[in-house]
C-alpha cells in the first residue's frame, strides 16, 4: 500500500546555495523548515518564481535531497521558468507548496530494490534509495556522460550503479534498457526484485513492459505539465486502469506522481 | 452613487464587507471562480474557507463526464488557456463525496451546473433544489470546451432564455447564469437573464482562444481551442461588466484575471456587487483570502464604511 501524504503548506523558502552542476544542470539548496522534514521519496514541491512577471503557474520539481530543514532541487534551465530560477541567489526567497503528491511506497523488505532512471530521474530517486532498508542496484541512462548525474551519491549509500549512454561516452553504449535487460535475463539474478523508475515516458513504458513480462512489481514516477499541483485544475491527468478495470483519469499531482506501472494505460497518454 | 472622494477612516475601523446576491447574503464579496477551486476540499490545507464570501465549485452535470484529452491547458503571456472539457463525477457522486465535506463550513457553496440539453440543465437543477448546503446555482451556459450544444446556450439569445427559464422552473434556489464574453451585445444577455427569472449574473467566462506550436505546426491543446483566463482578459472582463451593469438591475459577480485587491475594487466600481478569483488561485491559493483582507484596508483609505458604497461608484 502507498502511504498517505502528510499535510501540505505554502512556505517561503530561503535560498542557501545555487551551484552549477554538470551537463548544464543546477543545484538549488533551500531552507524550508516545514516542508523539508516532511518530504517522502517521490514527492514534489510546487515553486513560484517571481519572474517572468507574466508567468501564471507554479513549476513542479522533485526533491533531490532533504536533510533537516533544507532540501535540494536539481534542475536544468529548459524554459522561461527554469531560466529565471538560475538567477536566484543566496538570501532570495522562493515560495513553495509542498510536500505534494503520493510518493513511492515503502520498499518491500524481502525484495532487492532496482532503480531505473533517465536524466533528472536519478535525482528524483535518490531519497528513495536512501530510505531502502538495503542497498540495491541502479541503472542510469542518458544521452551522454554529462547526463549521468549522481552516481557517487548512490555508491556512498552502498548501491551498485550500472550506466548506459546513447553515445557510448560512459558505460554500455545504448539505452538504459540494454544493461537492464541483460540483468533481468540473467538466471542467477535475485528472484525477488522490486522496480522503481523515473525518467522519460518512453523509458517508463519500457520498464512497465519488462515488469509485466517478468511479473515484477514496478513503480513509475510520471512527469506531466501541472497546473495547481493540488488536484483541482485537472491539467495533469493520466489514463489509468481503475479499481473495476475501467479506464479512468488519475491526477498525476494527487494520485501520483508515482503509480503502479501496471495501472498506467500507455496508449492513452498524451 | 458615491461620486465624491472622502478622507480616509481610522485604521481600527472595520468596514462592512457584506453584500447581497439576490436573496443570498455574503459576509464579503470575494468568492472562488468555478473550475479553479476544484470541489473546495483540494484547498482545505491551505485556505481558510471561513474567510471567503462564497465557494463556487467546478461544473457539475447530471452524469459523470470524462472531459477532453491532454494536453488540457497551456500557459501564455499573462494567461492560461484551458480545455479541460468539464470533467466531473456527476451530480450524485458530487453530493455524496464533495458536498458532504463542504457542509462542515459555514461559507455558502454555489454549485456551477451544466448540461448538454435544456432538459439536462433542468434535471441537475431539480436534483439540487432540495439539497441543503447548496446556497445557489451558477448556470454554465458558456464553457467553450464542449462541442455538444453548450456553446449555443451562451451565445444564442433564444437558447439562452430557454435554458435559464427551464432552470428557473426546476429550482427555487438563487440562480446565477454565467455569461459568455464572445457576444456582440452583453447587455441583451443580461436583460434576458433578468427577464427569465435569474437572481444575479456572473461574468465573464473564459475567452475562446488557441495556440499553435510553430515548430511542430500542431495545436498546443488536444481540443485545439480552449478558453483564455488570467490577467490577459481583465480589461475585457471589466468592460463587459461595466456594460452589463448598465443593462440590468441584477447583482453582478465580476471576474476575469483578478489577482490583487485593486482589481476586485475595479470590478465593483464599474458595477459588480461581488467578485470571483479564478486562475490566480492556481499560483497563489490564498489570493481570495488576501483580497478580502485587502478590501477592508482599501475601503478605509477610500473613506467608505461599507463595501456596498463601492458598487457602481465609477467617477466620470
Amino acid at each position: 500500500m502507498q502511504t498517505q501524504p502528510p499535510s501540505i503548506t505554502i512556505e517561503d523558502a530561503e535560498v542557501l546555495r545555487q551551484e552549477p552542476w554538470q551537463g548544464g544542470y543546477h543545484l538549488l539548496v533551500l531552507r524550508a523548515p516545514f516542508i523539508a522534514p516532511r518530504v517522502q521519496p517521490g514527492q514534489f514541491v510546487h515553486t513560484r518564481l517571481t519572474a517572468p512577471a507574466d508567468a501564471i503557474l507554479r513549476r513542479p520539481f522533485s526533491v533531490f535531497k532533504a536533510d533537516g530543514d533544507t532540501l535540494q532541487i536539481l534542475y536544468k534551465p529548459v524554459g522561461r521558468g527554469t531560466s529565471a530560477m538560475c538567477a536566484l541567489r543566496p538570501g532570495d526567497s522562493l515560495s513553495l507548496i509542498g510536500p505534494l503528491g503520493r510518493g513511492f511506497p515503502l520498499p518491500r523488505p524481502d525484495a532487492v530494490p532496482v532503480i531505473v532512471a533517465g536524466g533528472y530521474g536519478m535525482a528524483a530517486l535518490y531519497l528513495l534509495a536512501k530510505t531502502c532498508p538495503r542497498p540495491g542496484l541502479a541503472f542510469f541512462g542518458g544521452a551522454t556522460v554529462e547526463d549521468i548525474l549522481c552516481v557517487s551519491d548512490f555508491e556512498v549509500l552502498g548501491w551498485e550503479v550500472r550506466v548506459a549512454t546513447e553515445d557510448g561516452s560512459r558505460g554500455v553504449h545504448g539505452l538504459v534498457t540494454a544493461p537492464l535487460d541483460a540483468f533481468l535475463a540473467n538466471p542467477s539474478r535475485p528472484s525477488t526484485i522490486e522496480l522503481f523508475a523515473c525518467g522519460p515516458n518512453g523509458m517508463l513504458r519500457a520498464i512497465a513492459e519488462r515488469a509485466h513480462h517478468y511479473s515484477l512489481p514496478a513503480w513509475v514516477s510520471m512527469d506531466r505539465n501541472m497546473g495547481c499541483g493540488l488536484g483541482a485544475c485537472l491539467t495533469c491527468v493520466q489514463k489509468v486502469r481503475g479499481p473495476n478495470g475501467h479506464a479512468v483519469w488519475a491526477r498525476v499531482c494527487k494520485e501520483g506522481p508515482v503509480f503502479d506501472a501496471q495501472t498506467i494505460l500507455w496508449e492513452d497518454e498524451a | 452613487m458615491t461620486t465624491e472622494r472622502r478622507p480616509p477612516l481610522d485604521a481600527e475601523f472595520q468596514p462592512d464587507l457584506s453584500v447581497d446576491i439576490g436573496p443570498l447574503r455574503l459576509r464579503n464579496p470575494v468568492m472562488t471562480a468555478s473550475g479553479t477551486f476544484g470541489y473546495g476540499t483540494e484547498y482545505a490545507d491551505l485556505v481558510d474557507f471561513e474567510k471567503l464570501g462564497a465557494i463556487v465549485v467546478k461544473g457539475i452535470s447530471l452524469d459523470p463526464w470524462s472531459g477532453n484529452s491532454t494536453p488540457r491547458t497551456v500557459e501564455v503571456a499573462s494567461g492560461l488557456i484551458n480545455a479541460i472539457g468539464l470533467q466531473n463525477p456527476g451530480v450524485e457522486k458530487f453530493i455524496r463525496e464533495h458536498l458532504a465535506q463542504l457542509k462542515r463550513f459555514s461559507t455558502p457553496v454555489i454549485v456551477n451546473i451544466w448540461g448538454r440539453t435544456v432538459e439536462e440543465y433542468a434535471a441537475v437543477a431539480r436534483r439540487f433544489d432540495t439539497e441543503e448546503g447548496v446556497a445557489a446555482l451558477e448556470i454554465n451556459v458558456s464553457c467553450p470546451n464542449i462541442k455538444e450544444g453548450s456553446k449555443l446556450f451562451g451565445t444564442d439569445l433564444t437558447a439562452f432564455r430557454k435554458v435559464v427559464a427551464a432552470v428557473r422552473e426546476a429550482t427555487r434556489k438563487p440562480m446565477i447564469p454565467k455569461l459568455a464574453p464572445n457576444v456582440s451585445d452583453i447587455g441583451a444577455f443580461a436583460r434576458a437573464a433578468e427577464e427569465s427569472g435569474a437572481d444575479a449574473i456572473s461574468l465573464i467566462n473564459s475567452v475562446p482562444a488557441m495556440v499553435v506550436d510553430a515548430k511542430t505546426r500542431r495545436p498546443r491543446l488536444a481540443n485545439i481551442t480552449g478558453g483564455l483566463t488570467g490577467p490577459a482578459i481583465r480589461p475585457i472582463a471589466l468592460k463587459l461588466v461595466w456594460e452589463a451593469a448598465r443593462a440590468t438591475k441584477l447583482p453582478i459577480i465580476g471576474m476575469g484575471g483578478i489577482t490583487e485587491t485593486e482589481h476586485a475594487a475595479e470590478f465593483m466600481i464599474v458595477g459588480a456587487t461581488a467578485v470571483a478569483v479564478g486562475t490566480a488561485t492556481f499560483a497563489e491559493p490564498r489570493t481570495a483570502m488576501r483580497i478580502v483582507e485587502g478590501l477592508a484596508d482599501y475601503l478605509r483609505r477610500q473613506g467608505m464604511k461599507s463595501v456596498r458604497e463601492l458598487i457602481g461608484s465609477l467617477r466620470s
Side-chain angles (χ1 to χ4, degrees):
Chain A
M1 278 301 292
Q2 287 177 282
T3 49
Q4 283 301 309
S7 62
I8 55 172
T9 196
I10 306 177
E11 182 168 49
D12 282 327
E14 182 195 348
V15 175
L16 298 177
R17 291 202 323 269
Q18 166 99 261
E19 294 170 8
W21 198 265
Q22 69 187 69
Y25 280 83
H26 291 247
L27 180 74
L28 192 63
V29 183
L30 301 166
R31 206 181 78 82
F34 181 91
I35 295 172
R38 288 173 172 78
V39 172
Q40 295 176 354
Q43 287 192 300
F44 67 96
V45 291
H46 217 16
T47 66
R48 170 87 164 137
L49 295 159
T50 49
D54 62 1
I56 290 298
L57 299 174
R58 286 176 179 256
R59 296 288 185 273
F61 290 94
S62 298
V63 176
F64 173 29
K65 292 180 178 176
D67 184 23
D69 64 357
T70 69
L71 58 82
Q72 302 187 8
I73 293 169
L74 197 56
Y75 70 98
K76 194 172 194 170
V78 289
R80 296 190 313 154
T82 40
S83 299
M85 208 167 194
C86 295
L88 290 171
R89 291 291 168 262
D92 288 350
S93 129
L94 177 66
S95 169
L96 304 178
I97 300 178
L100 295 177
R102 204 187 300 208
F104 289 100
L106 285 174
R108 301 178 185 197
D110 60 329
V112 173
V114 173
I115 277 174
V116 188
Y120 177 79
M122 297 156 210
L125 289 164
Y126 175 78
L127 275 183
L128 174 76
K130 207 178 164 190
T131 53
C132 278
R134 57 167 140 173
L137 185 57
F139 293 88
F140 287 177
T144 176
V145 59
E146 290 279 279
D147 300 310
I148 307 301
L149 292 176
C150 27
V151 173
S152 58
D153 290 298
F154 277 73
E155 286 176 343
V156 166
L157 297 174
W159 283 61
E160 182 190 339
V161 181
R162 298 185 190 174
V163 173
T165 51
E166 288 170 51
D167 66 356
S169 54
R170 180 166 179 182
V172 175
H173 191 169
L175 296 173
V176 70
T177 41
L180 177 69
D181 284 340
F183 166 75
L184 291 174
N186 186 339
S188 63
R189 71 159 163 88
S191 57
T192 314
I193 286 172
E194 188 173 23
L195 288 166
F196 303 91
C198 184
N201 269 329
M203 189 201 93
L204 297 182
R205 183 174 183 168
I207 302 310
E209 286 163 5
R210 269 68 173 178
H212 182 72
H213 178 78
Y214 289 102
S215 300
L216 300 170
W219 304 91
V220 293
S221 177
M222 307 290 292
D223 192 6
R224 274 282 183 286
N225 281 336
M226 281 183 188
C228 66
L230 297 163
C233 76
L234 307 181
T235 290
C236 63
V237 293
Q238 164 71 46
K239 275 269 166 72
V240 300
R241 200 172 287 111
N244 56 7
H246 296 304
V248 294
W249 288 117
R251 298 165 296 182
V252 170
C253 70
K254 195 79 181 174
E255 283 81 43
V258 175
F259 293 91
D260 177 339
Q262 300 314 322
T263 65
I264 302 282
L265 294 170
W266 300 96
E267 299 300 335
D268 287 307
E269 72 173 295
Chain B
M1 186 161 293
T2 311
T3 53
E4 80 280 20
R5 300 195 66 181
R6 299 181 193 164
L9 299 169
D10 289 349
E12 298 82 48
F13 184 80
Q14 284 305 316
D16 179 5
L17 293 180
S18 66
V19 294
D20 294 316
I21 300 295
L24 183 62
R25 165 64 58 103
L26 304 182
R27 62 166 79 98
N28 69 62
V30 185
M31 53 185 84
T32 62
S34 178
T36 61
F37 205 64
Y39 302 113
T41 43
E42 296 88 341
Y43 284 95
D45 284 344
L46 302 178
V47 177
D48 183 354
F49 292 177
E50 302 293 346
K51 293 233 163 79
L52 303 176
I55 292 170
V56 186
V57 298
K58 188 164 167 53
I60 298 292
S61 53
L62 200 55
D63 300 315
W65 189 252
S66 68
N68 293 332
S69 296
T70 57
R72 287 175 161 191
T73 62
V74 56
E75 196 184 25
V76 296
S78 295
L80 182 71
I81 307 181
N82 87 83
I84 307 298
L86 297 170
Q87 181 187 333
N88 81 94
V91 66
E92 295 305 332
K93 193 174 179 189
F94 166 74
I95 289 171
R96 214 167 49 237
E97 293 184 8
H98 302 288
L99 190 58
Q101 299 284 322
L102 287 170
K103 279 182 185 169
R104 294 185 290 131
F105 303 96
S106 71
T107 307
V109 174
I110 299 175
V111 178
N112 182 288
I113 61 168
W114 65 275
R116 284 165 296 178
T117 61
V118 171
E119 292 71 30
E120 280 188 12
Y121 275 100
V124 67
R126 201 172 297 117
R127 180 64 185 83
F128 280 118
D129 185 48
T130 53
E131 205 53 47
E132 272 181 54
V134 175
L137 297 176
E138 181 179 58
I139 312 172
N140 181 2
V141 290
S142 52
C143 185
N145 298 327
I146 65 162
K147 295 187 176 100
E148 296 175 56
S150 241
K151 186 173 185 176
L152 204 66
F153 296 121
T155 53
D156 181 294
L157 203 51
T158 309
F160 175 77
R161 281 180 196 279
K162 251 184 219 161
V163 80
V164 176
V167 171
R168 180 73 296 162
E169 288 239 326
T171 182
R172 283 157 300 168
K173 299 264 189 204
M175 174 182 74
I176 310 164
K178 185 172 185 176
L179 305 190
N182 50 315
V183 294
S184 54
D185 181 5
I186 198 79
F189 283 82
R191 280 189 299 273
E194 187 172 354
E195 289 157 11
S196 307
D199 297 280
I201 52 174
S202 59
L203 66 152
I204 60 174
N205 207 323
S206 59
V207 178
M210 70 185 284
V211 188
V212 170
D213 184 328
K215 200 164 79 183
T216 63
R217 304 203 310 276
R218 291 179 198 281
R220 295 281 300 273
L221 293 167
N223 194 55
I224 303 174
T225 67
L228 178 63
T229 64
I233 68 168
R234 196 170 59 241
I236 297 171
L238 201 66
K239 182 257 191 186
L240 289 169
V241 167
W242 176 68
E243 280 184 348
R246 301 205 298 177
T248 178
K249 288 192 192 67
L250 290 179
I252 294 174
I253 303 166
M255 70 194 79
I258 295 175
T259 58
E260 304 293 339
T261 298
E262 287 69 22
H263 304 156
E266 289 166 23
F267 276 89
M268 296 190 72
I269 290 165
V270 301
T273 296
V275 295
V277 176
T279 303
T281 299
F282 292 150
E284 297 294 352
R286 292 173 182 152
T287 303
M289 280 168 68
R290 187 165 44 78
I291 289 175
V292 172
E293 287 163 18
L295 267 181
D297 199 41
Y298 170 83
L299 291 170
R300 281 189 290 267
R301 278 184 276 123
Q302 289 290 318
M304 291 181 174
K305 292 178 176 167
S306 162
V307 75
R308 294 188 294 278
E309 294 174 53
L310 195 57
I311 301 166
S313 64
L314 184 70
R315 305 170 77 220
S316 50

